[in-house]
Amino acid sequence: MKITQLELLKVPPSWVWVRIHTDRGLSGLGEPYLEDHPEVVIAEVNRLAPFLIGEDPTRLEYLWKRMYESGNGYRGGPVKMSAISGIDMALWDLAGKAYGLPVHKLLGGAYRDRVKVYRACHDEPPYTVAPGLPYRPAPDGAAAADADRSGAPERMARAAETLLEWGFRCLKLHFGPADTLERPADLDAIVACVEAVRRAVGREIDVAVDIHNTHPSRAQQLMRRFEPLGLLFVEEPLPPERIDLLRRVVDAAPVPVAAGERWMGKWAFREALEAGAAVLQPDIAHAGGFTELRKIAAMAEASYAAVAPHCPLSALSFAASIQFGAAAPNFLVQEHNEVNDGREGGVTRIGGGYMKAPFELGPDGCVAVPDAPGLGFELDPAGFEAVLRRPWRAARGKRARGARRGRRPPSAGPS
């Protein structure tokens, strides 16, 4: 079997997929995408294509290294690694189809047959959007809610209760305290929100907190105040450039520290493990695909660290992440993009409109691991055709009031 073509697809609202074709009629799908930088990744996929055409797609390690070492000595970086990640995802999908096995069996077999999923929680009611649409416009009264920051803890607690009704058993709260000390940050408001959610959901529900690359000194202050709240982890406690500084936060942290959504390749994660990170968050669409994530997970296991993959992209990346999570023994919990949520008949589904059989969230807060060959991602022809009729945006779909994933909520202080 030989690779004959790499076909790029622009998938609304703002995703980029690659379909790798072969001379045997088999194809594989992957997601080579970098948020708000799609065109340069598309160009990189096209640059890498000649290194793949005519090759056996099941030579996964060989092709990964060939792509990584291409470019006259320039290795790594977000553009190249995102392109490699999406291509690698498609190659594993192809390999699984060629062998008639799901990817998790190629990775060593299912360590678990259900994968726990968490949902982002903000200080507004949870919502769903039609497949292919970006995040919805801000609801009526959003300006008033922004002004009423004192009400944010109650709003976030109500949102958390709704997500429990939707079936989630793990939530992640998002805040954005300033990353420089000259900008004010209301840490009291952040702590009040987390306390309100913990009271609302009880101690049996896992709660994580993302503080979005704040200043390390503020992260240390928050960590100490979070200690009584029994958090699953605190994510992104400092800017991503200085991984070595993570040790300062970890040494002062009485709660597990998680990081890694913007790190590319195994080398950065090795440094984070040496600094004491308890939870690694590689993104399968950025950090190197399956080929690299399995190595990152093995390094983490040797350091008694867990893996909770980052995944803010399409249902395709989510499906790939589920395959990875099924096989990794030190997997913790899986993120997903809330625009992929759907609610019908009291059931939460992830991937509707894209997948013929969307993931269904069970009462345990988990989704079942597909057993079909490859990623187990079978396109819904009618739904996908409807998605493709919607407008595609170069910037990842955003909505008014700055309310994208990871936005700074009113409770986190001034913008």
Side-chain angles (χ1 to χ4, degrees):
M1 182 168 58
K2 303 296 182 184
I3 297 170
T4 58
Q5 180 190 3
L6 274 67
E7 175 192 7
L8 285 154
L9 305 171
K10 290 183 174 180
V11 179
S14 55
W15 320 128
V16 176
W17 293 359
V18 62
R19 180 182 281 123
I20 299 181
H21 297 271
T22 67
D23 58 359
R24 291 191 186 176
L26 289 178
S27 64
L29 280 173
E31 186 161 9
Y33 179 73
L34 180 63
E35 290 88 326
D36 295 355
H37 299 79
E39 299 295 347
V40 292
V41 178
I42 288 172
E44 180 65 6
V45 171
N46 287 328
R47 188 191 71 82
L48 292 170
F51 296 96
L52 301 164
I53 301 300
E55 296 287 351
D56 178 351
T58 65
R59 297 184 69 189
L60 300 164
E61 287 282 354
Y62 167 77
L63 293 176
W64 196 98
K65 191 170 184 180
R66 190 170 190 201
M67 289 187 288
Y68 185 78
E69 293 181 349
S70 69
N72 197 27
Y74 290 95
R75 302 182 180 188
V79 173
K80 175 183 265 191
M81 288 299 290
S82 296
I84 290 174
S85 297
I87 292 170
D88 183 81
M89 195 187 302
L91 291 173
W92 279 83
D93 188 31
L94 252 174
K97 291 172 180 175
Y99 295 126
L101 295 171
V103 167
H104 69 262
K105 289 192 176 179
L106 300 182
L107 292 170
Y111 188 88
R112 58 187 59 80
D113 58 10
R114 297 183 64 76
V115 171
K116 192 170 188 176
V117 179
Y118 71 80
R119 194 356 169 117
C121 180
H122 300 293
D123 65 330
E124 63 185 23
Y127 63 90
T128 64
V129 298
L133 289 180
Y135 298 87
R136 69 174 186 177
D140 293 339
D146 265 338
D148 179 23
R149 289 176 176 161
S150 63
E154 178 66 19
R155 291 193 298 270
M156 192 167 275
R158 299 292 78 78
E161 290 173 338
T162 299
L163 290 174
L164 295 193
E165 295 172 4
W166 286 16
F168 292 97
R169 294 296 174 263
C170 183
L171 308 175
K172 189 170 77 177
L173 317 183
H174 287 266
F175 305 97
D179 58 2
T180 58
L181 294 178
E182 63 267 22
R183 294 175 59 199
D186 190 348
L187 304 187
D188 290 340
I190 294 174
V191 175
C193 284
V194 181
E195 290 174 339
V197 169
R198 178 52 84 195
R199 287 193 299 270
V201 304
R203 289 278 173 169
E204 294 183 357
I205 300 300
D206 287 325
V207 176
V209 172
D210 191 340
I211 52 177
H212 289 278
N213 310 119
T214 188
H215 192 278
S217 67
R218 287 195 171 128
Q220 291 172 338
Q221 294 176 62
L222 285 169
M223 294 287 191
R224 289 190 288 269
R225 298 181 65 177
F226 287 153
E227 181 176 10
L229 301 177
L231 298 181
L232 184 64
F233 57 76
V234 176
E235 177 178 338
E236 296 293 314
L238 75 171
E241 294 87 355
R242 287 288 304 276
I243 301 173
D244 60 308
L245 294 183
L246 192 64
R247 184 180 300 278
R248 294 186 188 177
V249 177
V250 169
D251 288 347
V255 296
V257 173
E261 66 183 56
R262 280 184 287 276
W263 297 338
M264 314 290 167
K266 65 181 82 70
W267 301 275
F269 290 93
R270 180 200 60 80
E271 190 175 352
L273 290 168
E274 289 182 349
V279 181
L280 300 185
Q281 298 177 294
D283 189 318
I284 199 164
H286 299 323
F290 287 105
T291 299
E292 198 74 341
L293 257 66
R294 62 178 181 162
K295 298 172 184 177
I296 293 167
M299 291 192 305
E301 186 179 16
S303 297
Y304 306 104
V307 179
H310 181 247
C311 186
L313 304 183
S314 78
L316 179 58
S317 284
F318 180 73
S321 298
I322 294 301
Q323 293 289 329
F324 172 76
N330 55 332
F331 170 86
L332 181 63
V333 67
Q334 181 59 53
E335 180 178 33
H336 80 290
N337 189 332
E338 54 264 38
V339 302
N340 294 316
D341 279 349
R343 291 281 295 165
E344 185 178 352
V347 176
T348 299
R349 294 181 175 87
I350 301 172
Y354 298 89
M355 303 177 65
K356 184 175 288 187
F359 293 95
E360 187 170 304
L361 194 69
D364 57 353
C366 300
V367 299
V369 177
D371 209 36
L375 298 180
F377 185 95
E378 185 178 359
L379 278 175
D380 173 5
F384 193 59
E385 183 179 346
V387 166
L388 291 179
R389 288 196 294 266
R390 298 192 183 278
W392 182 87
R393 299 161 174 80
R396 196 178 73 172
K398 298 176 182 177
R399 58 195 176 97
R401 196 184 160 207
R404 58 183 171 85
R405 182 194 167 277
R407 69 181 176 89
R408 180 176 291 106
S411 58
S415 297

